Amino acid sequence: MINKDFYKLAEEDAENRGFNVDEVLACMERALVGAFKKEHGNTSCKVEFNKEKNEIRLYSIHKVVEQYTAILEAEKREAEAALGIEEGKDSPHPEVEEPQYAEMLLADAKKIKSTYKIGDLVLQQENLKNYSRMTILAAGNMYKQGVRTLEREKAFEYFKGLENEMINAEVSNMGDRFLTLKLGFNVTTLLPVGELLPNDHLSIGDYIKVYVKKVEQTTKEPKVVVSRTERNLVTRLMENYIPEIKSGIIEIKGIARDPGDRTKIAIFSNDEKVDAIGSCVGEGGNRIKEIVNALGGEKVDLYKWSEDPEELIANSLQPASVTKVLSVDPKTRTSQVVVPDDHLSLAIGKAGQNVRLAVQSCGWKIDIMPTSEAYEKGLIKILGL
């Protein structure tokens, strides 16, 4: 049979859905085999595609036999019954193998071609015009279902590869509890309103950056769980806008986040010629502004990582100044820090935010003490002040 329209449809389906043509043809092959089974009760057939000639051919396959396997099986059971052998017990007769192909007697095969012999395969082209309307409709539905299944599989593979990565999503609907996001591949997901940032003022059609937390296969489209509050979203944004981080010249050593409010990041340059802070901020602050804008105005504090605990802890409390870091205990990873009295509130931060983010990002517990208290406790002598 020749079907130019089908090949055109296959190419369009492949292009629109991100498949290759062979994958679409495989769906059609399964549909034709299904149609053959509906008409003949078996799948002893073969499908051939010839793209150059726009041909699709369906052949029935019969194996030439001397006697039908079903008759041999019946004769075997009769013989066993005559000998008093119970079914399932050892039999003096060899097992009759289940036929791989539909069978055709030698006499019938020779009517087709006189040279056929036992064991040969007889291929005869099927004419789909002789198939019932219901069979053709079923085959069409099977093809469409195959394409949809392939699309779901492709979508799952694609998004599974994006787990723990950042993607762009389009807002397609907004509700009281959820936003519907288009992710591509005809896949949508629901983003809980609680996963939005305080300054996310969105409208339908807007694009936002989200972090892919988890992807699960379902009987329909893949389930893609995304977030705007994950701290790793900030990491991916840094990699996206700062080439030195993407290449590994600059490393993010620690990160802590209050989503929508403030993120504190410890960074380190593996190249002494590259300034970690300056590279991340960018000329005129353009790089860090891009990240802040993508986070809806969330503040991003950067500080330099150091292998020296005292320097690291002091840096982590920025923008507050530190007079001295005391009592650094590597075993318990605790420390005591003295800050100027007028920097105490800055070091602690609103509701303890600055020191909490410092602790989470540098990995050291920090006990903050003002200079006046250090003086009262006699620590002023240790400080040499």
Side-chain angles (χ1 to χ4, degrees), residues 145-211:
Q145 181 60 43
V147 170
R148 284 195 294 267
T149 299
L150 180 60
E151 188 173 40
R152 288 196 295 267
E153 291 171 354
K154 289 282 186 180
F156 174 74
E157 290 173 7
Y158 175 77
F159 287 107
K160 192 67 177 177
L162 290 175
E163 265 187 341
N164 305 316
E165 297 294 339
M166 178 183 71
I167 62 174
N168 275 323
E170 181 185 358
V171 179
S172 62
N173 196 18
M174 302 180 69
D176 294 335
R177 297 173 56 202
F178 298 96
L179 270 69
T180 303
L181 304 179
K182 288 183 181 178
L183 306 180
F185 279 91
N186 292 324
V187 174
T188 60
T189 191
L190 296 178
L191 179 68
V193 171
E195 284 286 339
L196 289 174
L197 305 179
N199 291 325
D200 281 340
H201 304 299
L202 301 170
S203 302
I204 293 175
D206 287 348
Y207 282 85
I208 58 171
K209 296 186 183 299
V210 293
Y211 181 79

Side-chain angles (χ1 to χ4, degrees), residues 20-196:
N20 62 59
V21 175
D22 288 339
E23 289 173 321
V24 177
L25 295 182
C27 294
M28 175 53 73
E29 181 174 358
R30 287 191 290 270
L32 289 174
V33 171
F36 183 92
K37 183 177 181 180
K38 192 172 181 64
E39 286 290 309
H40 300 284
N42 61 66
T43 58
S44 184
C45 62
K46 176 184 179 182
V47 180
E48 285 186 354
F49 294 100
N50 189 326
K51 299 178 194 175
E52 289 73 24
K53 295 183 179 180
N54 290 316
E55 289 182 343
I56 309 170
R57 296 181 182 274
L58 175 63
Y59 297 92
S60 64
I61 304 176
H62 289 84
K63 186 175 182 179
V64 179
V65 297
E66 186 174 4
Q67 193 173 16
Y68 291 124
T69 299
I71 295 175
L72 291 175
E73 181 66 34
E75 289 177 350
K76 173 196 164 189
R77 288 196 296 268
E78 289 176 3
E80 288 177 348
L83 292 171
I85 299 173
E86 294 181 17
E87 187 175 350
K89 293 198 173 181
D90 291 341
S91 167
H93 298 280
E95 288 293 326
V96 178
E97 293 184 2
E98 188 71 22
Q100 181 181 1
Y101 300 105
E103 296 173 332
M104 178 181 289
L105 294 177
L106 179 59
D108 294 329
K110 285 184 174 295
K111 293 177 183 177
I112 300 171
K113 191 166 69 173
S114 61
T115 56
Y116 279 130
K117 58 184 181 298
I118 292 173
D120 285 348
L121 296 180
V122 179
L123 273 67
Q124 293 176 289
Q125 187 174 342
E126 293 282 299
N127 187 349
L128 292 183
K129 292 181 180 179
N130 296 331
Y131 283 18
S132 70
R133 182 172 175 272
M134 293 301 295
T135 295
I136 299 301
L137 286 174
N141 290 334
M142 193 179 299
Y143 168 74
K144 292 175 183 176
Q145 181 60 43
V147 170
R148 284 195 294 267
T149 299
L150 180 60
E151 188 173 40
R152 288 196 295 267
E153 291 171 354
K154 289 282 186 180
F156 174 74
E157 290 173 7
Y158 175 77
F159 287 107
K160 192 67 177 177
L162 290 175
E163 265 187 341
N164 305 316
E165 297 294 339
M166 178 183 71
I167 62 174
N168 275 323
E170 181 185 358
V171 179
S172 62
N173 196 18
M174 302 180 69
D176 294 335
R177 297 173 56 202
F178 298 96
L179 270 69
T180 303
L181 304 179
K182 288 183 181 178
L183 306 180
F185 279 91
N186 292 324
V187 174
T188 60
T189 191
L190 296 178
L191 179 68
V193 171
E195 284 286 339
L196 289 174

Side-chain angles (χ1 to χ4, degrees), residues 244-245 247-253 267-276 307:
E244 292 86 351
I245 291 180
S247 66
I249 295 174
I250 296 175
E251 288 185 57
I252 295 176
K253 291 287 192 176
I267 53 178
F268 175 77
S269 175
N270 289 305
D271 186 341
E272 59 183 17
K273 297 178 182 179
V274 177
D275 174 21
E307 295 296 335

Side-chain angles (χ1 to χ4, degrees), residues 236-301:
R236 296 294 177 258
L237 283 166
M238 297 282 284
E239 293 170 347
N240 188 63
Y241 288 107
I242 304 168
E244 292 86 351
I245 291 180
K246 187 71 172 178
S247 66
I249 295 174
I250 296 175
E251 288 185 57
I252 295 176
K253 291 287 192 176
I255 183 169
R257 186 185 185 200
D258 277 349
D261 190 3
R262 184 181 297 273
T263 292
K264 190 177 280 282
I265 307 172
I267 53 178
F268 175 77
S269 175
N270 289 305
D271 186 341
E272 59 183 17
K273 297 178 182 179
V274 177
D275 174 21
I277 302 295
S279 296
C280 291
V281 172
E283 186 177 353
N286 63 314
R287 287 181 173 178
I288 203 68
K289 285 177 184 175
E290 293 276 12
I291 295 167
V292 169
N293 290 339
L295 295 172
E298 183 176 317
K299 298 179 182 66
V300 178
D301 294 339

Side-chain angles (χ1 to χ4, degrees), residues 275-327:
D275 174 21
I277 302 295
S279 296
C280 291
V281 172
E283 186 177 353
N286 63 314
R287 287 181 173 178
I288 203 68
K289 285 177 184 175
E290 293 276 12
I291 295 167
V292 169
N293 290 339
L295 295 172
E298 183 176 317
K299 298 179 182 66
V300 178
D301 294 339
L302 305 172
Y303 69 89
K304 186 179 178 181
W305 174 274
S306 174
E307 295 296 335
D308 178 3
E310 291 187 14
E311 183 181 359
L312 173 63
I313 292 164
N315 290 346
S316 73
L317 288 172
Q318 294 173 3
S321 297
V322 172
T323 304
K324 184 68 176 178
V325 178
L326 302 174
S327 306

